[in-house]
């Protein structure tokens, strides 16, 4: 429980970084799991490890951008679980950027490509769409759950 308490303390001081602590491992696992859906899947392991970690860092930046956009809209960094509609705005901001980025990087810049195994929706890969749809809400839920476990006990201050 010590670790959960540390994450909660961080959540109170810097909610975006606490959220990132939950989201990065989820995104790293997702990036590696979806590798066969990308054209570079047959490259050597050092390349795959580097690119998947690079993509995980990018996922973190998208998450932080969506977090700060939501913070600006609600005029507080402490919107998680306190502002109606904040979660929806956060997810929509990240989802919108993800759609644009996938389209731009696969269709305009051609900086990466999908394998024949990637299901497409309007030319955009289903895996990255699902990634943003599922993982940020899960990270929010995990952060909230860790905060709720930090309830004061025996009259001790939080």
């Amino acid at each position: 429980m010590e670790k959960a308490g540390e994450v909660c303390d961080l959540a109170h001081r810097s909610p975006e970084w606490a959220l990132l602590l939950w989201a990065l491992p989820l995104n790293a696992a997702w990036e590696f799991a979806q590798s066969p859906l990308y054209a570079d899947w047959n490259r050597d392991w050092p390349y795959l490890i580097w690119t998947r970690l690079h993509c995980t860092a990018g996922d973190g930046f998208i998450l932080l951008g969506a977090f700060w956009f939501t913070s600006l809209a609600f005029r507080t960094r402490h919107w998680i679980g306190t502002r109606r509609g904040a979660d929806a705005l956060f997810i929509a901001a990240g989802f919108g950027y993800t759609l644009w980025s996938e389209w731009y990087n696969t269709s305009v810049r051609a900086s990466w490509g999908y394998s024949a195994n990637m299901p497409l929706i309007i030319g955009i890969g289903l895996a990255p769409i699902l990634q943003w749809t599922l993982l940020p809400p899960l990270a929010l839920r995990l952060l909230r759950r860790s905060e709720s476990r930090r309830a004061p006990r025996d009259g001790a201050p939080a």
Side-chain angles (χ1 to χ4, degrees):
M1 283 295 196
E2 181 77 21
K3 188 165 190 132
E6 291 170 15
V7 171
C8 292
D9 289 340
L10 180 61
H12 291 294
R13 289 190 314 268
S14 301
E16 61 269 56
W17 302 113
L19 182 60
L20 194 63
L21 285 175
W22 287 106
L24 281 179
L26 294 171
N27 279 285
W30 188 282
E31 290 294 345
F32 282 95
Q34 73 176 350
S35 287
L37 302 176
Y38 285 88
D40 67 355
W41 170 242
N42 294 326
R43 301 278 305 259
D44 61 336
W45 277 104
Y47 171 86
L48 289 176
I49 290 169
W50 164 250
T51 57
R52 294 334 182 244
L53 292 177
H54 176 267
C55 291
T56 299
D59 297 331
F61 284 116
I62 295 169
L63 181 123
L64 289 173
F67 180 93
W68 290 326
F69 177 79
T70 304
S71 296
L72 284 172
F74 285 89
R75 298 177 186 217
T76 180
R77 288 174 41 242
H78 298 279
W79 54 262
I80 298 174
T82 64
R83 300 293 194 270
R84 184 181 177 124
D87 286 8
L89 180 60
F90 167 69
I91 293 164
F95 186 80
Y97 179 83
T98 296
L99 291 179
W100 175 83
S101 177
E102 288 291 320
W103 167 79
Y104 183 76
N105 285 294
T106 58
S107 299
V108 177
R109 285 188 60 211
S111 54
W112 69 75
Y114 303 129
S115 76
N117 297 326
M118 175 72 83
L120 301 176
I121 298 177
I122 61 168
I124 297 170
L126 179 61
I129 291 171
L130 288 175
Q131 181 178 3
W132 186 266
T133 304
L134 300 173
L135 299 188
L138 178 58
L140 284 169
R141 173 178 257 165
L142 290 169
L143 179 59
R144 285 187 188 115
R145 191 170 139 208
S146 71
E147 286 180 338
S148 69
R149 288 185 176 175
R150 191 177 179 263
R153 295 182 190 168
D154 301 322

